[in-house]
Amino acid sequence: MKRIPLLLASLLLLAACTAPAPSTASTPAETPAAPVETPADPANAGDVHMLTNRYDGGQYTTCLVPSGSYCVSKIDYAAATAHSMCQIPGCQHTTSDCPVLSAGHLLVDGDTLWYPYIVHSDSEYAYALAAYTDDITPPAHPLFAVTHYQTDLVYSVNVLAADEEYLYFVGNSSYAFGGAGPNGAEAYLFSAEKSTGLQAQRLRLDTLLPGQNAYWTLSAAEGRSLYLQYSLFSDNTSGVYRYDLDTRQCSPLPQLTQNADTLGTPLCSPQVVYDLQQGSITAVDVPTGQSTLLTDTFPTGDSYTYAAASFRDGWVLSYSLWKEQDAFTHQFFRAPDGTLTELPQQMYCDARGTTPVNILDIQNGLVFLQYAYDTVPVSSYDYEGNPYTYDTYLPVYGIIPLQDLLAGSQNYRKLTFD
């Protein structure tokens, strides 16, 4: 059976999520597990939390390796090194035999790393999750695999919440991606026991009328609660439901209902709300509903676009103008005390022009970023079979202290691969 890794964002960042209007959707309700067993009461399983690819000092993510291919690497910021998570001796990470070629990431769960990927063959298209080991990744027997052909669900196993005993994830009907079917779009919250892989259907998230379309995902977790967002495509609104794992009650949070057009980073916590008329960016913590004004000094008008990304050491905010021949982007770092510092560093690529450096993470006073492109010649053949060469542009990654970045330095330490 051939394994193809699950790519980041291919199934997830579609739109913001919202509570459906009463006329179009029912309140999410608990449903009996079928065909799997109802899970035991998880009240003693500890607090629930979202899993990410970051650890203290780095992250597990896809990076360009010297072979010119992409595979999952462990990035160590202090050492400025990238260690391939493929354990096959002599593997060049250039063919599908490499288990982490082009994969999205590994998810950190205490001392365990979870690896989401897709199993694909002529008769099967399954979403699988495996625990990473010191052997070849992923193991021959994943914790579980759920088959799309049997259930018509697209499983978001690369967006996980976890407590001490269970993993939690969402499955959306494929109709949520391409138009509602005769029974509408469906979505479910699932759990899987970490020790056995036993799956259970915790919650049916909604039942929409024919012609309605929604997409659900996990966005936050705190205490014993999961926060579920969705986008109702019919009226472009988004909102949040809170699901209590102990009482198994699900309730809407009306204060978090938004128009999807104003959401900068939906499907996550904190949410980011843009106001192009006021020149402001506001972060909203999903579990508490608390709002934090990040800036209200950006240029205003519909010709501008805003962007924001949250990191451990602060925020990176930017605004861009795309109008006729005029196009530019300004990028800023916002410190926890609210200080806003413009970042002048740019990178140049023949095919893309000049753009701000691409900041990927900031933690412990170190910045992981893409700061340049390498021009690499590629040989190919035209439609008549004649050989020719063209240039492709591959990202170059590096590390720089945050204080140096804020001072305008471009003294990047290039990431090395072992």
Side-chain angles (χ1 to χ4, degrees), residues 4 117-121 124-128 145-149 155:
I4 299 179
Y117 63 99
I118 290 177
V119 180
H120 183 244
S121 70
E124 185 178 31
Y125 192 88
Y127 302 84
V146 283
T147 305
H148 168 66
Y149 290 155
Y155 295 87

Side-chain angles (χ1 to χ4, degrees), residues 93-282:
H93 321 302
T94 56
T95 68
S96 59
D97 293 333
C98 175
V100 293
L101 177 69
S102 297
H105 52 214
L106 299 177
L107 296 170
V108 180
D109 184 19
D111 294 331
T112 302
L113 297 176
W114 296 108
Y115 177 75
Y117 63 99
I118 290 177
V119 180
H120 183 244
S121 70
D122 292 340
S123 60
E124 185 178 31
Y125 192 88
Y127 302 84
L129 191 73
Y132 176 83
T133 70
D134 291 333
D135 300 316
I136 297 173
T137 308
H141 302 289
L143 177 72
F144 66 82
V146 283
T147 305
H148 168 66
Y149 290 155
Q150 294 177 345
T151 63
D152 192 38
L153 293 178
V154 178
Y155 295 87
S156 300
V157 295
N158 54 349
V159 178
L160 294 174
D163 54 28
E164 295 176 7
E165 298 180 14
Y166 295 93
L167 297 165
Y168 303 94
F169 58 98
V170 168
N172 283 277
S173 166
S174 59
Y175 291 128
F177 299 91
N183 297 319
E186 298 177 353
Y188 301 88
L189 173 68
F190 295 95
S191 66
E193 290 185 8
K194 293 181 180 180
S195 58
T196 65
L198 179 66
Q199 300 164 55
Q201 180 180 302
R202 295 271 179 173
L203 184 70
R204 179 166 178 164
L205 293 170
D206 69 345
T207 305
L208 299 178
L209 298 174
Q212 298 298 312
N213 221 354
Y215 177 81
W216 290 78
T217 191
L218 284 168
S219 65
E222 185 175 273
R224 294 294 299 156
S225 295
L226 297 174
Y227 295 83
L228 299 141
Q229 286 184 304
Y230 80 95
S231 166
L232 186 62
F233 300 146
S234 60
D235 59 8
N236 202 33
T237 55
S238 77
V240 179
Y241 277 88
R242 175 183 173 271
Y243 177 65
D244 188 302
L245 287 165
D246 297 332
T247 65
R248 302 187 182 184
Q249 298 298 309
C250 194
S251 55
L253 302 179
Q255 68 272 24
L256 294 179
T257 299
Q258 299 283 349
N259 184 298
D261 290 336
T262 68
L263 289 178
T265 54
L267 315 185
C268 65
S269 181
Q271 284 186 337
V272 180
V273 180
Y274 300 151
D275 190 330
L276 294 172
Q277 306 310 312
Q278 298 296 322
S280 66
I281 303 178
T282 303

Side-chain angles (χ1 to χ4, degrees), residues 4 30 76 108 138 144 172 181 200 204 231 286 288-289 296 311 345 350 371 378:
I4 299 179
E30 187 76 20
D76 185 318
V108 180
F144 66 82
N172 283 277
R204 179 166 178 164
S231 166
V286 169
T288 66
D296 58 1
F311 303 109
Q345 293 88 346
D350 288 344
Y371 65 89
V378 176

Side-chain angles (χ1 to χ4, degrees), residues 35-50:
V36 292
E37 300 177 10
T38 301
D41 187 350
N44 298 320
D47 287 346
V48 67
H49 56 279
M50 297 297 294

Side-chain angles (χ1 to χ4, degrees), residues 57-110:
Q59 63 175 276
Y60 298 88
T61 191
T62 296
C63 252
L64 177 70
V65 297
S67 63
S69 299
Y70 292 85
C71 72
V72 174
S73 298
K74 179 181 181 180
I75 313 300
D76 185 318
Y77 299 160
T81 58
H83 170 68
S84 172
M85 299 306 290
C86 171
Q87 300 296 310
I88 301 176
C91 182
Q92 296 299 306
H93 321 302
T94 56
T95 68
S96 59
D97 293 333
C98 175
V100 293
L101 177 69
S102 297
H105 52 214
L106 299 177
L107 296 170
V108 180
D109 184 19

